[in-house]
Amino acid sequence: MATSGCMQFGLRRFIQQNSLCSLRKQIRCVTGQAARKHYGVDEPEGPVMKTALPGPKSKELLRELDNIQHCSSVQFFVDYSKCLGNYIVDMDGNTILDLFTQISSIPLGYNHPSMIKAMQDPANVYDLVNRPALQVFPPGNWPARMENSLLEIAPPGLNHVHTLMCGACSNEHGFKAVFMRHMRKLRGGAPPTKEDLETCLLNLPPGCPPLTIMGFKNAFHGRTMGALNASTVKPTHKLYFPADDWPVAPFPKVMYPYEKYAEHNARQERMCLSEIRALVEEYNGRGTPCVGIITEPIQAEGGDNYASPDFFQKLQKICKEFDIAFIVDEVQTGLGATGKMWAHEHWDLPEPPDIVSFSKKAITGGFFFKEEYKATDGHRIFNTWMGDPHKIILLEAVVKEIKSENLLAQVNETGNFLLAGLKKLQDTYPDRLANARGLGTFCSIDTHDAQMRDKMIHSLKQRGINIGGCGVSSLRLRPSLTAQPHHCEIFLDALNEIMKEL
């Protein structure tokens, strides 16, 4: 399709103003030091701090935003035109090594050339400008786009996928797929009755049956109402919001390193599996059948809590026994963070999960599913946009980069270096650091208490290093897939200095 002269001029000007060359010059100007070539991007050599965080400009912007909305969660304001690679630059010109990456959601680092190129491609303009309602008026290239992105990286055995916007709505719609499949099977494929159609509009059974999804203690699956039913990690997520009576099972409280405490951990897992079975039988017996169990491969918000492949294999076996959907929430762990494309691939399951939800590093939200969970009627798994074409355009670029640069191998190399460094620090400071753990670069370590953890995070930020916290007192690291050992070395050296000061 021909592009008009006006649009061609506008695109040229956009490309000129936002070219990679310009971005590189900007970052050099900001850092005032040599840059390091890194996966096609000239990165800074390290953090450069000009002010404390938040700086004066961030504080002024915070006052302006506070007049518009509640914003106590804002840490600092960012100049995204100057961010590059694994470094984020704030409005005060501070260059910060980002090992938290927008809450684990930046796959290739900031302003990656392949992603900028995809956004600047004139062939993509019309999908971006018009934002199609993808379940009603998808563009002609949509099936090919899906093949080149999500289906290219689909979990083994799962060839069906819906795109959505975020992790919460991905889990929410995944629950709906589970409910619909259960009722189709229960009714033998018969259509809904007149009573079903009438009572569902009144929030009453049989049209709204009392079906349940089992979650785990310390789990987090999103902030929409259904996802909150299965989330139990923080009161601030749920306080004063109505909730249904859904079963909540214990998650194994394992000790680290896992192999050293194998007997204790196996006992914990057996106890939890027994409780899961008992809860399924209890809820089924009271007429509120459990039709799905949702789990994170690693409980991220809850404190980076792990369980063994054997635990998840036996959990899937319980699901098969009771005809329950096995739902794996890979919103944080998916797309390579653990050294495999999907964290559940570490489990060696006898068959795929029934549903795998994703978002964050996958850029778009959505869920993969087995064919039996495919909706049989339109407008059932549905919203206006069902995702966004530009997310898939970006994901195409990310998938190509993961494969061409062998980034999963990079994640494992960097993760091994990072975890070894964390273990060395905990051996050096055993009274303040413990339980270093991780898969790939999905790493964390426990501190003495929440106050010490928060003080460490603050001190790291003032040194130009951004990480996060989780659980009661854990430090968590969520670097991009392009992070390398030298990035982790900067962090480990800074953390060692902070430990000396403490």
Side-chain angles (χ1 to χ4, degrees):
M1 181 179 292
T3 306
S4 72
C6 179
M7 181 168 285
Q8 287 176 340
F9 173 75
L11 284 168
R12 282 200 303 272
R13 184 169 60 186
F14 176 83
I15 291 169
Q16 290 165 358
Q17 290 175 346
N18 297 276
S19 68
L20 292 175
C21 180
S22 173
L23 283 168
R24 289 169 181 162
K25 288 178 181 176
Q26 288 169 356
I27 200 73
R28 290 190 186 110
C29 179
V30 168
T31 60
Q33 60 179 324
R36 184 187 295 236
K37 198 75 173 178
H38 175 74
Y39 287 110
V41 176
D42 290 334
E43 280 195 337
E45 283 288 340
V48 176
M49 299 303 291
K50 298 181 177 181
T51 73
L53 290 180
K57 291 183 180 178
S58 278
K59 288 180 178 178
E60 178 58 34
L61 289 166
L62 190 61
R63 283 190 289 270
E64 293 179 22
L65 185 60
D66 194 52
N67 292 325
I68 302 169
Q69 58 185 227
H70 182 83
C71 55
S72 64
S73 60
V74 173
Q75 297 183 24
F76 53 82
F77 286 77
V78 180
D79 186 344
Y80 284 101
S81 70
K82 292 184 172 66
C83 302
L84 204 59
N86 290 279
Y87 288 85
I88 188 170
V89 180
D90 76 352
M91 294 302 296
D92 291 278
N94 296 303
T95 301
I96 302 153
L97 174 62
D98 192 356
L99 300 179
F100 196 46
T101 57
Q102 306 290 323
I103 319 177
S104 192
S105 66
I106 301 289
L108 303 180
Y110 294 98
N111 289 317
H112 194 278
S114 64
M115 299 176 78
I116 289 178
K117 182 179 178 181
M119 287 294 96
Q120 293 174 341
D121 187 345
N124 293 329
V125 167
Y126 300 104
D127 288 351
L128 305 181
V129 170
N130 296 295
R131 194 178 183 185
L134 292 170
Q135 286 272 298
V136 186
F137 307 109
N141 61 16
W142 191 238
R145 289 246 190 244
M146 297 285 277
E147 289 282 350
N148 294 334
S149 58
L150 287 168
L151 293 178
E152 183 72 19
I153 56 168
L158 297 182
N159 301 315
H160 300 274
V161 65
H162 272 298
T163 53
L164 291 153
M165 288 304 296
C166 67
C169 63
S170 301
N171 286 323
E172 196 89 15
H173 284 275
F175 293 167
K176 289 165 67 176
V178 168
F179 296 144
M180 289 189 293
R181 179 260 187 189
H182 176 83
M183 294 307 296
R184 278 199 306 271
K185 192 168 184 179
L186 187 67
R187 296 184 57 77
T193 65
K194 180 181 179 183
E195 184 183 17
D196 292 336
L197 297 173
E198 291 175 348
T199 54
C200 76
L201 299 178
L202 301 173
N203 299 328
L204 296 172
C208 290
L211 307 178
T212 65
I213 302 284
M214 182 184 295
F216 287 91
K217 293 178 182 177
N218 292 317
F220 181 65
H221 301 290
R223 298 173 189 265
T224 52
M225 297 303 287
L228 280 176
N229 270 343
S231 301
T232 57
V233 69
K234 288 181 181 177
T236 52
H237 295 157
K238 303 185 68 158
L239 185 64
Y240 301 135
F241 302 149
D244 295 321
D245 179 13
W246 286 9
V248 179
F251 194 82
K253 294 181 179 179
V254 304
M255 298 172 66
Y256 308 95
Y258 196 94
E259 298 77 15
K260 181 178 179 180
Y261 300 100
E263 185 176 340
H264 164 87
N265 294 339
R267 189 165 55 248
Q268 272 286 314
E269 292 182 353
R270 286 195 301 270
M271 180 195 72
C272 291
L273 290 164
S274 176
E275 181 66 17
I276 289 164
R277 179 181 294 276
L279 280 169
V280 170
E281 292 173 344
E282 176 188 342
Y283 274 74
N284 289 355
R286 66 165 73 162
T288 54
C290 177
V291 299
I293 295 178
I294 185 168
T295 184
E296 300 157 89
I298 303 164
Q299 287 189 324
E301 298 296 324
D304 274 20
N305 306 316
Y306 287 73
S308 72
D310 182 69
F311 172 79
F312 292 109
Q313 292 167 12
K314 289 175 178 173
L315 179 60
Q316 186 182 49
K317 188 175 181 180
I318 291 174
C319 289
K320 296 294 288 184
E321 179 182 343
F322 288 94
D323 194 26
I324 290 170
F326 183 40
I327 310 166
V328 180
D329 179 346
E330 292 251 26
V331 168
Q332 280 213 29
T333 54
L335 209 81
T338 66
K340 291 184 180 290
M341 194 65 75
W342 304 100
H344 73 266
E345 293 182 78
H346 289 281
W347 300 342
D348 193 24
L349 296 172
E351 65 177 83
D354 296 297
I355 287 177
V356 175
S357 57
F358 57 87
S359 188
K360 292 193 180 287
K361 277 185 171 63
I363 300 180
T364 185
F367 63 95
F368 296 100
F369 55 96
K370 290 180 177 175
E371 187 168 6
E372 63 191 286
Y373 292 86
K374 188 176 181 180
T376 56
D377 302 291
H379 298 89
R380 295 286 277 158
I381 304 294
F382 188 86
N383 58 39
T384 300
W385 289 305
M386 290 300 292
D388 194 324
H390 99 269
K391 306 295 186 186
I392 295 297
I393 292 169
L394 289 171
L395 182 58
E396 280 183 322
V398 170
V399 171
K400 288 179 183 177
E401 196 73 18
I402 289 174
K403 292 180 178 294
S404 66
E405 297 292 343
N406 198 14
L407 289 183
L408 295 186
Q410 179 64 65
V411 167
N412 284 306
E413 178 188 343
T414 303
N416 289 338
F417 180 89
L418 175 58
L419 188 56
L422 290 173
K423 288 179 177 179
K424 184 176 180 180
L425 284 173
Q426 80 177 13
D427 291 343
T428 305
Y429 307 102
D431 57 330
R432 284 167 279 176
L433 295 173
N435 298 326
R437 55 204 184 275
L439 273 177
T441 53
F442 203 96
C443 292
S444 56
I445 191 167
D446 292 346
T447 64
H448 184 269
D449 53 33
Q451 184 177 6
M452 178 178 285
R453 186 266 314 276
D454 295 344
K455 185 175 182 179
M456 289 179 185
I457 292 174
H458 175 77
S459 295
L460 285 164
K461 278 192 173 64
Q462 302 313 312
R463 286 170 165 80
I465 301 168
N466 184 43
I467 69 166
C470 62
V472 175
S473 59
S474 299
L475 299 171
R476 62 170 159 168
L477 293 114
R478 301 291 189 265
S480 78
L481 304 180
T482 63
Q484 293 184 327
H486 71 264
H487 297 112
C488 300
E489 189 172 17
I490 293 170
F491 156 72
L492 292 167
D493 287 346
L495 184 57
N496 184 50
E497 290 301 315
I498 290 169
M499 299 309 299
K500 290 177 180 178
E501 294 172 5
L502 288 175

